[in-house]
Short mmCIF file of all heavy atoms in Angstrom, two decimals:
data_model
loop_
_atom_site.label_atom_id
_atom_site.label_comp_id
_atom_site.label_asym_id
_atom_site.label_seq_id
_atom_site.Cartn_x
_atom_site.Cartn_y
_atom_site.Cartn_z
N THR A 1145 15.83 20.37 3.71
CA THR A 1145 15.46 19.60 2.52
C THR A 1145 14.82 18.28 2.91
O THR A 1145 13.79 17.88 2.35
CB THR A 1145 16.70 19.35 1.65
OG1 THR A 1145 17.26 20.61 1.25
CG2 THR A 1145 16.33 18.56 0.40
N LEU A 1146 15.41 17.60 3.89
CA LEU A 1146 14.83 16.34 4.37
C LEU A 1146 13.43 16.58 4.92
O LEU A 1146 12.50 15.80 4.65
CB LEU A 1146 15.71 15.73 5.47
CG LEU A 1146 15.12 14.51 6.19
CD1 LEU A 1146 14.87 13.36 5.22
CD2 LEU A 1146 16.04 14.07 7.33
N GLY A 1147 13.26 17.66 5.67
CA GLY A 1147 11.95 17.97 6.24
C GLY A 1147 10.89 18.14 5.17
O GLY A 1147 9.76 17.64 5.30
N LEU A 1148 11.22 18.85 4.10
CA LEU A 1148 10.27 19.03 3.00
C LEU A 1148 9.96 17.69 2.33
O LEU A 1148 8.81 17.44 1.93
CB LEU A 1148 10.83 20.01 1.97
CG LEU A 1148 10.85 21.49 2.39
CD1 LEU A 1148 11.42 22.35 1.27
CD2 LEU A 1148 9.45 21.98 2.76
N GLU A 1149 10.97 16.84 2.22
CA GLU A 1149 10.74 15.52 1.62
C GLU A 1149 9.79 14.69 2.49
O GLU A 1149 8.93 13.97 1.97
CB GLU A 1149 12.08 14.79 1.45
CG GLU A 1149 12.98 15.39 0.38
CD GLU A 1149 14.36 14.76 0.36
OE1 GLU A 1149 14.64 13.89 1.22
OE2 GLU A 1149 15.16 15.12 -0.53
N LEU A 1150 9.93 14.81 3.80
CA LEU A 1150 9.04 14.09 4.70
C LEU A 1150 7.61 14.62 4.59
O LEU A 1150 6.64 13.85 4.56
CB LEU A 1150 9.54 14.20 6.15
CG LEU A 1150 10.91 13.57 6.45
CD1 LEU A 1150 11.26 13.76 7.92
CD2 LEU A 1150 10.92 12.10 6.08
N LEU A 1151 7.48 15.95 4.54
CA LEU A 1151 6.15 16.54 4.40
C LEU A 1151 5.49 16.10 3.10
O LEU A 1151 4.27 15.92 3.03
CB LEU A 1151 6.25 18.07 4.43
CG LEU A 1151 6.61 18.70 5.78
CD1 LEU A 1151 6.83 20.20 5.62
CD2 LEU A 1151 5.54 18.42 6.83
N GLU A 1152 6.30 15.91 2.08
CA GLU A 1152 5.77 15.52 0.77
C GLU A 1152 5.44 14.04 0.68
O GLU A 1152 4.43 13.66 0.07
CB GLU A 1152 6.79 15.86 -0.32
CG GLU A 1152 6.33 15.50 -1.73
CD GLU A 1152 7.34 15.86 -2.79
OE1 GLU A 1152 8.42 16.40 -2.45
OE2 GLU A 1152 7.07 15.61 -3.98
N ASN A 1153 6.24 13.19 1.32
CA ASN A 1153 6.14 11.76 1.04
C ASN A 1153 5.57 10.90 2.16
O ASN A 1153 5.02 9.83 1.89
CB ASN A 1153 7.53 11.21 0.67
CG ASN A 1153 8.09 11.85 -0.59
OD1 ASN A 1153 7.39 11.96 -1.58
ND2 ASN A 1153 9.35 12.27 -0.55
N VAL A 1154 5.71 11.33 3.41
CA VAL A 1154 5.27 10.47 4.51
C VAL A 1154 3.75 10.42 4.59
O VAL A 1154 3.07 11.44 4.54
CB VAL A 1154 5.85 10.96 5.85
CG1 VAL A 1154 5.21 10.23 7.03
CG2 VAL A 1154 7.37 10.77 5.88
N ASP A 1155 3.23 9.22 4.72
CA ASP A 1155 1.79 8.99 4.90
C ASP A 1155 1.64 7.91 5.96
O ASP A 1155 1.77 6.72 5.68
CB ASP A 1155 1.14 8.57 3.59
CG ASP A 1155 -0.38 8.45 3.71
OD1 ASP A 1155 -0.90 8.58 4.84
OD2 ASP A 1155 -1.04 8.21 2.68
N LEU A 1156 1.37 8.32 7.19
CA LEU A 1156 1.27 7.38 8.30
C LEU A 1156 -0.15 6.84 8.50
O LEU A 1156 -0.38 6.05 9.41
CB LEU A 1156 1.73 8.06 9.60
CG LEU A 1156 3.20 8.48 9.68
CD1 LEU A 1156 3.49 9.12 11.04
CD2 LEU A 1156 4.13 7.30 9.44
N ARG A 1157 -1.08 7.27 7.66
CA ARG A 1157 -2.48 6.87 7.88
C ARG A 1157 -2.68 5.36 8.01
O ARG A 1157 -3.39 4.91 8.92
CB ARG A 1157 -3.36 7.44 6.77
CG ARG A 1157 -3.54 8.95 6.85
CD ARG A 1157 -4.39 9.45 5.69
NE ARG A 1157 -3.71 9.24 4.41
CZ ARG A 1157 -4.31 9.32 3.22
NH1 ARG A 1157 -5.61 9.59 3.16
NH2 ARG A 1157 -3.62 9.13 2.11
N PRO A 1158 -2.07 4.54 7.15
CA PRO A 1158 -2.28 3.10 7.28
C PRO A 1158 -1.75 2.51 8.59
O PRO A 1158 -2.23 1.48 9.05
CB PRO A 1158 -1.51 2.52 6.08
CG PRO A 1158 -1.41 3.64 5.11
CD PRO A 1158 -1.26 4.86 5.96
N SER A 1159 -0.76 3.18 9.19
CA SER A 1159 -0.14 2.66 10.40
C SER A 1159 -0.86 3.07 11.68
O SER A 1159 -0.60 2.51 12.75
CB SER A 1159 1.32 3.14 10.49
OG SER A 1159 2.06 2.74 9.35
N LEU A 1160 -1.77 4.03 11.57
CA LEU A 1160 -2.39 4.58 12.78
C LEU A 1160 -3.23 3.56 13.54
O LEU A 1160 -3.45 3.71 14.74
CB LEU A 1160 -3.26 5.79 12.42
CG LEU A 1160 -2.49 7.01 11.89
CD1 LEU A 1160 -3.46 8.14 11.53
CD2 LEU A 1160 -1.45 7.50 12.89
N VAL A 1161 -3.67 2.52 12.86
CA VAL A 1161 -4.45 1.47 13.54
C VAL A 1161 -3.59 0.75 14.58
O VAL A 1161 -4.13 0.10 15.49
CB VAL A 1161 -5.01 0.45 12.53
CG1 VAL A 1161 -6.05 1.10 11.64
CG2 VAL A 1161 -3.89 -0.17 11.69
N GLU A 1162 -2.27 0.86 14.46
CA GLU A 1162 -1.37 0.20 15.39
C GLU A 1162 -1.13 1.02 16.66
O GLU A 1162 -0.55 0.51 17.62
CB GLU A 1162 -0.02 -0.07 14.70
CG GLU A 1162 -0.12 -0.94 13.46
CD GLU A 1162 1.19 -1.00 12.70
OE1 GLU A 1162 2.25 -0.71 13.32
OE2 GLU A 1162 1.18 -1.31 11.50
N LEU A 1163 -1.57 2.27 16.65
CA LEU A 1163 -1.38 3.10 17.85
C LEU A 1163 -2.21 2.56 19.01
O LEU A 1163 -3.42 2.43 18.92
CB LEU A 1163 -1.79 4.55 17.57
CG LEU A 1163 -0.79 5.47 16.89
CD1 LEU A 1163 -1.42 6.85 16.68
CD2 LEU A 1163 0.49 5.60 17.70
N SER A 1164 -1.54 2.26 20.10
CA SER A 1164 -2.25 1.73 21.27
C SER A 1164 -2.37 2.77 22.38
O SER A 1164 -3.15 2.60 23.31
CB SER A 1164 -1.50 0.50 21.81
OG SER A 1164 -0.14 0.83 22.09
N GLN A 1165 -1.60 3.85 22.26
CA GLN A 1165 -1.58 4.87 23.31
C GLN A 1165 -2.78 5.82 23.19
O GLN A 1165 -3.33 6.00 22.11
CB GLN A 1165 -0.30 5.72 23.21
CG GLN A 1165 0.98 4.93 23.27
CD GLN A 1165 1.48 4.56 21.88
OE1 GLN A 1165 0.69 4.39 20.95
NE2 GLN A 1165 2.78 4.44 21.75
N PRO A 1166 -3.18 6.44 24.30
CA PRO A 1166 -4.13 7.56 24.21
C PRO A 1166 -3.53 8.63 23.30
O PRO A 1166 -2.34 8.95 23.41
CB PRO A 1166 -4.23 8.05 25.66
CG PRO A 1166 -3.88 6.85 26.49
CD PRO A 1166 -2.82 6.12 25.70
N TRP A 1167 -4.36 9.18 22.41
CA TRP A 1167 -3.87 10.11 21.39
C TRP A 1167 -4.78 11.32 21.34
O TRP A 1167 -5.98 11.21 21.15
CB TRP A 1167 -3.83 9.39 20.04
CG TRP A 1167 -3.45 10.23 18.86
CD1 TRP A 1167 -2.74 11.39 18.85
CD2 TRP A 1167 -3.78 9.96 17.49
NE1 TRP A 1167 -2.58 11.85 17.56
CE2 TRP A 1167 -3.21 11.00 16.71
CE3 TRP A 1167 -4.48 8.95 16.85
CZ2 TRP A 1167 -3.35 11.05 15.32
CZ3 TRP A 1167 -4.61 8.99 15.47
CH2 TRP A 1167 -4.04 10.03 14.72
N LEU A 1168 -4.19 12.50 21.52
CA LEU A 1168 -4.93 13.76 21.44
C LEU A 1168 -4.45 14.55 20.23
O LEU A 1168 -3.26 14.81 20.08
CB LEU A 1168 -4.70 14.60 22.71
CG LEU A 1168 -5.30 16.01 22.71
CD1 LEU A 1168 -6.83 15.96 22.62
CD2 LEU A 1168 -4.84 16.78 23.95
N ARG A 1169 -5.39 14.93 19.37
CA ARG A 1169 -5.08 15.73 18.17
C ARG A 1169 -5.60 17.15 18.39
O ARG A 1169 -6.79 17.34 18.63
CB ARG A 1169 -5.75 15.10 16.94
CG ARG A 1169 -5.24 13.71 16.62
CD ARG A 1169 -6.02 13.03 15.48
NE ARG A 1169 -7.34 12.60 15.93
CZ ARG A 1169 -8.50 13.12 15.53
NH1 ARG A 1169 -8.50 14.14 14.68
NH2 ARG A 1169 -9.64 12.66 15.99
N LEU A 1170 -4.70 18.13 18.29
CA LEU A 1170 -5.07 19.53 18.48
C LEU A 1170 -5.00 20.27 17.15
O LEU A 1170 -4.03 20.12 16.40
CB LEU A 1170 -4.13 20.20 19.49
CG LEU A 1170 -4.06 19.55 20.87
CD1 LEU A 1170 -3.11 20.33 21.77
CD2 LEU A 1170 -5.44 19.46 21.50
N TYR A 1171 -6.03 21.07 16.86
CA TYR A 1171 -6.13 21.77 15.58
C TYR A 1171 -6.44 23.25 15.77
O TYR A 1171 -7.09 23.64 16.74
CB TYR A 1171 -7.26 21.17 14.73
CG TYR A 1171 -7.10 19.73 14.36
CD1 TYR A 1171 -7.60 18.73 15.19
CD2 TYR A 1171 -6.47 19.35 13.18
CE1 TYR A 1171 -7.48 17.38 14.85
CE2 TYR A 1171 -6.34 18.01 12.84
CZ TYR A 1171 -6.84 17.04 13.68
OH TYR A 1171 -6.71 15.71 13.34
N GLY A 1172 -6.00 24.04 14.80
CA GLY A 1172 -6.45 25.42 14.68
C GLY A 1172 -7.49 25.46 13.57
O GLY A 1172 -7.22 25.01 12.45
N ARG A 1173 -8.66 25.96 13.85
CA ARG A 1173 -9.74 25.95 12.84
C ARG A 1173 -9.36 26.74 11.60
O ARG A 1173 -9.84 26.45 10.50
CB ARG A 1173 -11.03 26.52 13.45
CG ARG A 1173 -12.24 26.44 12.53
CD ARG A 1173 -13.49 27.00 13.19
NE ARG A 1173 -13.36 28.42 13.50
CZ ARG A 1173 -13.59 29.40 12.62
NH1 ARG A 1173 -13.97 29.12 11.40
NH2 ARG A 1173 -13.46 30.67 13.00
N LEU A 1174 -8.48 27.72 11.74
CA LEU A 1174 -8.12 28.60 10.63
C LEU A 1174 -6.78 28.22 10.01
O LEU A 1174 -6.23 28.98 9.22
CB LEU A 1174 -8.07 30.05 11.13
CG LEU A 1174 -9.34 30.52 11.86
CD1 LEU A 1174 -9.14 31.92 12.44
CD2 LEU A 1174 -10.54 30.52 10.92
N ASP A 1175 -6.27 27.05 10.34
CA ASP A 1175 -4.96 26.60 9.87
C ASP A 1175 -4.92 26.45 8.35
O ASP A 1175 -5.74 25.74 7.77
CB ASP A 1175 -4.63 25.26 10.53
CG ASP A 1175 -3.16 24.88 10.43
OD1 ASP A 1175 -2.47 25.38 9.53
OD2 ASP A 1175 -2.72 24.06 11.25
N ALA A 1176 -3.95 27.11 7.71
CA ALA A 1176 -3.81 27.03 6.25
C ALA A 1176 -2.93 25.87 5.82
O ALA A 1176 -2.88 25.53 4.64
CB ALA A 1176 -3.22 28.34 5.72
N LEU A 1177 -2.24 25.23 6.77
CA LEU A 1177 -1.33 24.13 6.43
C LEU A 1177 -1.93 22.76 6.74
O LEU A 1177 -1.63 21.77 6.06
CB LEU A 1177 -0.01 24.29 7.19
CG LEU A 1177 0.86 25.48 6.75
CD1 LEU A 1177 1.99 25.71 7.73
CD2 LEU A 1177 1.41 25.24 5.35
N VAL A 1178 -2.75 22.69 7.77
CA VAL A 1178 -3.44 21.44 8.13
C VAL A 1178 -4.93 21.73 8.10
O VAL A 1178 -5.50 22.19 9.10
CB VAL A 1178 -2.99 20.92 9.51
CG1 VAL A 1178 -3.74 19.64 9.87
CG2 VAL A 1178 -1.49 20.68 9.54
N PRO A 1179 -5.58 21.49 6.96
CA PRO A 1179 -7.00 21.82 6.81
C PRO A 1179 -7.86 21.16 7.88
O PRO A 1179 -7.70 19.97 8.18
CB PRO A 1179 -7.34 21.29 5.41
CG PRO A 1179 -6.03 21.25 4.69
CD PRO A 1179 -5.01 20.91 5.74
N ILE A 1180 -8.77 21.92 8.46
CA ILE A 1180 -9.63 21.40 9.53
C ILE A 1180 -10.53 20.27 9.02
O ILE A 1180 -11.06 19.48 9.81
CB ILE A 1180 -10.46 22.56 10.13
CG1 ILE A 1180 -11.09 22.13 11.47
CG2 ILE A 1180 -11.52 23.03 9.16
CD1 ILE A 1180 -10.08 21.74 12.53
N LYS A 1181 -10.66 20.15 7.70
CA LYS A 1181 -11.46 19.06 7.12
C LYS A 1181 -10.93 17.69 7.50
O LYS A 1181 -11.66 16.69 7.47
CB LYS A 1181 -11.49 19.19 5.59
CG LYS A 1181 -12.31 20.36 5.07
CD LYS A 1181 -12.28 20.39 3.54
CE LYS A 1181 -13.08 21.56 2.99
NZ LYS A 1181 -13.04 21.61 1.50
N THR A 1182 -9.65 17.61 7.83
CA THR A 1182 -9.08 16.31 8.18
C THR A 1182 -9.49 15.84 9.58
O THR A 1182 -9.44 14.65 9.88
CB THR A 1182 -7.54 16.34 8.11
OG1 THR A 1182 -7.03 17.28 9.08
CG2 THR A 1182 -7.07 16.76 6.72
N GLU A 1183 -9.91 16.78 10.42
CA GLU A 1183 -10.24 16.42 11.81
C GLU A 1183 -11.38 15.42 11.91
O GLU A 1183 -11.24 14.36 12.55
CB GLU A 1183 -10.54 17.69 12.61
CG GLU A 1183 -10.77 17.45 14.10
CD GLU A 1183 -12.21 17.08 14.43
OE1 GLU A 1183 -13.11 17.56 13.72
OE2 GLU A 1183 -12.42 16.30 15.39
N PRO A 1184 -12.56 15.68 11.28
CA PRO A 1184 -13.63 14.70 11.40
C PRO A 1184 -13.33 13.37 10.71
O PRO A 1184 -13.83 12.32 11.13
CB PRO A 1184 -14.83 15.40 10.74
CG PRO A 1184 -14.23 16.45 9.86
CD PRO A 1184 -12.98 16.88 10.55
N VAL A 1185 -12.50 13.40 9.67
CA VAL A 1185 -12.13 12.17 8.98
C VAL A 1185 -11.34 11.27 9.92
O VAL A 1185 -11.63 10.07 10.06
CB VAL A 1185 -11.30 12.48 7.71
CG1 VAL A 1185 -10.79 11.18 7.08
CG2 VAL A 1185 -12.11 13.27 6.72
N LEU A 1186 -10.35 11.83 10.59
CA LEU A 1186 -9.54 11.04 11.53
C LEU A 1186 -10.36 10.62 12.75
O LEU A 1186 -10.17 9.53 13.28
CB LEU A 1186 -8.31 11.83 11.96
CG LEU A 1186 -7.23 12.01 10.88
CD1 LEU A 1186 -6.11 12.91 11.40
CD2 LEU A 1186 -6.66 10.67 10.45
N SER A 1187 -11.26 11.48 13.18
CA SER A 1187 -12.11 11.14 14.33
C SER A 1187 -12.98 9.93 14.01
O SER A 1187 -13.21 9.07 14.88
CB SER A 1187 -12.99 12.33 14.72
OG SER A 1187 -12.22 13.38 15.24
N ALA A 1188 -13.46 9.85 12.78
CA ALA A 1188 -14.30 8.72 12.37
C ALA A 1188 -13.48 7.45 12.19
O ALA A 1188 -13.92 6.35 12.57
CB ALA A 1188 -15.03 9.06 11.07
N GLN A 1189 -12.28 7.60 11.61
CA GLN A 1189 -11.45 6.43 11.32
C GLN A 1189 -10.73 5.89 12.55
O GLN A 1189 -10.44 4.70 12.64
CB GLN A 1189 -10.43 6.77 10.24
CG GLN A 1189 -11.06 7.04 8.88
CD GLN A 1189 -10.04 7.41 7.82
OE1 GLN A 1189 -8.88 7.70 8.13
NE2 GLN A 1189 -10.46 7.40 6.56
N TYR A 1190 -10.43 6.80 13.50
CA TYR A 1190 -9.68 6.39 14.69
C TYR A 1190 -10.39 6.88 15.94
O TYR A 1190 -9.96 7.82 16.61
CB TYR A 1190 -8.24 6.94 14.62
CG TYR A 1190 -7.57 6.57 13.32
CD1 TYR A 1190 -7.48 7.49 12.28
CD2 TYR A 1190 -7.10 5.28 13.10
CE1 TYR A 1190 -6.91 7.14 11.06
CE2 TYR A 1190 -6.53 4.92 11.89
CZ TYR A 1190 -6.44 5.85 10.88
OH TYR A 1190 -5.88 5.50 9.67
N PRO A 1191 -11.55 6.25 16.25
CA PRO A 1191 -12.38 6.71 17.36
C PRO A 1191 -11.71 6.58 18.73
O PRO A 1191 -12.20 7.14 19.71
CB PRO A 1191 -13.63 5.81 17.26
CG PRO A 1191 -13.16 4.60 16.51
CD PRO A 1191 -12.13 5.09 15.56
#
């Protein structure tokens, strides 16, 4: 139940500017849960 609440409510996007570590994002192009459309958005916002 807590996990579903986190999936529903957590939004870390505003905090990502604070990440100082090297960060690798891995995606499945056919993923039905994490749309691949988010990949270029994050790449542009967090180069």
Side-chain angles (χ1 to χ4, degrees):
T1145 300
L1146 172 62
L1148 288 180
E1149 290 173 357
L1150 297 180
L1151 290 174
E1152 180 179 0
N1153 297 313
V1154 170
D1155 185 354
L1156 296 181
R1157 289 178 295 166
S1159 302
L1160 294 179
V1161 293
E1162 301 171 21
L1163 277 179
S1164 56
Q1165 304 93 330
W1167 176 23
L1168 174 64
R1169 297 173 287 111
L1170 302 181
Y1171 298 89
R1173 185 179 63 84
L1174 307 174
D1175 196 338
L1177 291 169
V1178 179
I1180 195 60
K1181 290 180 180 179
T1182 63
E1183 185 274 329
V1185 174
L1186 289 175
S1187 292
Q1189 293 178 347
Y1190 307 100

